[in-house]
């Protein structure tokens, strides 16, 4: 058979409506429903150059929260579990931690006491475990952890707790000319070492919270040393600010799962022209975790209430997703 | 003639060494010489997958200073000239400026008094003219200025003062799989509105100094309001830090023209594997401006002294560039 024949045959087969030979579904892990329809309709509209809603490639910017949107975030943000593991690894050099909070709680795995230490305690934990080393040293630590650490209850590597439907969506958006960014409250340097392999998102498209770095030349070799000082908090109203500092134009699509993403969705969907706001609602206690208004991690309250009148699509994980976790490890 | 014939013919013609039918020079505005040879050899090495110096596309990051590297910076940084124009435009609403420095100097075009106001005076000028409005309002002001303003002595739009050899280099690097970034001490929001058209560099690949923005909802419409407060200074040791916050991996090529770029070049050329550092030396008083060690804008002293032992190529603009300014307006 020659090529022309194959091309004609393929065209004819694709014409069979809904048939087995029709174009493959680019989002096979999404069940038909309002969320999927909304996403697909948006992408078709902004990429169809005959549509009045057409958006040129340069403006096809899509932003994704990470924790709870691209991977799980229970029983605690994974970066907090990383910090706890770091406290344990570093404890021999810090005998004082055995009797000092929040380190004592971390060493004892006492998540309740850890939660009680509040934001201040969390910050202390982060500064003690994330600062005081070069950026290259920290990256090596994260790379090692992400390979060897296991989720406390699911007993799987964290990168296997990435959501398959979102990985498909990221790839499909990119295939449609979108540039995909992570915009997370989590630490940018905690995400960059594995985000490219897990999500196909390169380091320069990962935006997050960060601590300051200082440039130093040590024995003729330049290094960036991580300082125990906040550089930027990329959460809530910080998300549109972070998008502005980093991307410099307004996204036309934003995906989040908590009130921490409220302003990001508000900002992305307030521009002129077509836009898309999507909230991932954690409704599946059997396959993942079910939580919203009362969760410490990923609290979803105001954004859930306001989604209908703001026109944001709400993904019901239990109903809308055929599978939850990625099918094969990245 | 069929396609195969054409392909064979093209291949044969390309084999004529140095002949009129040879592959066109991708850098036609660069004269043969050590600088051009060095740049071309570097690109060939890192893109040749049979070479031990091969670098995969994802790591082909090239960073460019803007003022003095991609466009001129005399008789003063163009952003300072922009600020002066803004002071003049805003003066009717600020009668007090007629008698207050540094505004008085700006209104009178007294660049000497302006220089005497030092960094503090400059900062006052920037805060008064660059803050107190939304990001969209500021962008509109820059877009208008870049179209209508004219250089004080050359009497041309500033975007015509972009260097043709550098525009060719940017395009050629991108054609070779490089991602090109601006890393400038200048304001990121001053550059983004025109950098894509002038250099082919999208907003998300422009890194610079910035003032803080605050997210506000005004009458149900979200805005980012520019605050009279520094967010980040992307100069000297701030450049490697800015690269780290924004890109998250070390560039393999860096282009600058002043001591403000020293640390950026040092950082980019200190990684493992092949790297390239290039300094543009302003030697052409006839076609552009001749200055180095004693200039207020773009002072080049230490970097010029250390270039040879650090292996950085020095571009002698007078000798190495056939043309200086871009051939046609962007």
């Amino acid at each position: 058979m020659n090529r022309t024949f194959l091309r004609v045959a393929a065209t004819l087969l694709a014409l069979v409506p809904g048939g087995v030979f029709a174009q493959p579904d680019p989002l096979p892990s999404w069940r038909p429903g309002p969320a999927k329809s909304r996403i697909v309709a948006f992408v078709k509209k902004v990429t169809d150059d005959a549509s009045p809603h057409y958006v040129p490639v340069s403006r096809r910017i899509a932003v994704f929260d990470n924790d709870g949107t691209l991977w799980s975030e229970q029983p605690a943000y994974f970066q907090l579990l990383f910090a706890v593991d770091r406290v344990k690894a570093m404890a021999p050099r810090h005998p004082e931690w055995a009797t000092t909070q929040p380190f004592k709680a971390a060493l004892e795995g006492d998540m309740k006491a850890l939660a009680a230490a509040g934001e201040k305690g969390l910050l202390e934990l982060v500064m003690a475990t994330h600062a005081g080393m070069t950026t290259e040293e920290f990256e090596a630590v994260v790379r090692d952890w992400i390979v060897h650490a296991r989720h406390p209850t699911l007993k799987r590597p964290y990168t296997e707790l990435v959501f398959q439907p979102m990985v498909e969506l990221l790839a499909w958006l990119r295939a449609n000319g979108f540039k995909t960014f992570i915009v997370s409250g989590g630490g940018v340097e905690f995400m960059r070492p594995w985000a490219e392999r897990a999500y196909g998102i390169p380091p320069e498209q990962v935006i997050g919270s960060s601590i300051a770095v200082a440039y130093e030349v040590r024995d003729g070799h330049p290094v960036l040393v991580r300082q125990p000082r906040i550089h930027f908090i990329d959460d809530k109203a910080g998300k549109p600010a972070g998008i502005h500092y980093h991307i410099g134009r307004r996204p036309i699509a934003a995906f989040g799962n908590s009130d921490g993403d409220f302003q990001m969705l508000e900002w992305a969907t307030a521009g002129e022209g077509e836009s898309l706001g999507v909230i991932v609602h954690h409704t599946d206690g059997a396959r993942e975790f079910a939580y919203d208004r009362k969760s410490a991690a990923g609290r979803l309250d105001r954004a859930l209430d306001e989604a209908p009148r703001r026109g944001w699509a709400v993904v019901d994980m239990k109903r809308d997703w055929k599978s939850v976790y990625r099918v094969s490890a990245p």
Side-chain angles (χ1 to χ4, degrees), chain A residues 82-221:
Chain A
F82 164 76
V84 167
D85 284 352
R86 289 310 300 153
V87 168
K88 289 175 185 167
M90 293 164 77
R93 282 175 285 149
H94 295 273
E96 73 281 10
W97 285 355
T99 52
T100 326
Q101 289 297 14
F103 304 99
K104 186 170 176 287
L107 288 171
E108 293 168 355
D110 183 350
M111 298 306 286
K112 214 167 148 188
L114 213 52
E119 225 168 275
K120 194 177 154 285
L122 194 64
L123 208 62
E124 264 185 274
L125 214 63
V126 167
M127 292 310 175
T129 55
H130 288 54
M133 68 205 79
T134 70
T135 52
E136 284 168 337
E137 286 162 355
F138 185 73
E139 187 179 326
V141 166
V142 174
R143 282 189 190 282
D144 180 71
W145 183 85
I146 204 77
V147 169
H148 294 105
R150 294 293 178 270
H151 186 275
T153 60
L154 301 171
K155 311 289 180 196
R156 294 165 65 183
Y158 290 97
T159 44
E160 288 184 16
L161 304 178
V162 155
F163 302 138
Q164 176 65 23
M166 297 306 282
V167 171
E168 289 169 6
L169 180 54
L170 284 164
W172 189 55
L173 286 171
R174 287 192 293 263
N176 278 283
F178 279 81
K179 209 160 181 173
T180 54
F181 288 81
I182 290 175
V183 178
S184 170
V188 66
E189 289 188 278
F190 173 72
M191 297 180 282
R192 281 176 171 162
W194 50 268
E196 186 149 28
R197 183 173 283 198
Y199 306 130
I201 297 180
E204 62 270 23
Q205 284 159 230
V206 179
I207 306 171
S209 298
S210 53
I211 61 176
V213 296
Y215 188 74
E216 273 181 33
V217 179
R218 291 179 175 173
D219 300 325
H221 183 71

Side-chain angles (χ1 to χ4, degrees), chain A residues 42-43 46-47 60-62 173-180 252-253:
Chain A
F42 166 78
V43 173
V46 300
T47 56
R60 291 185 206 157
I61 304 281
L173 286 171
R174 287 192 293 263
N176 278 283
F178 279 81
K179 209 160 181 173
T180 54
I252 60 167

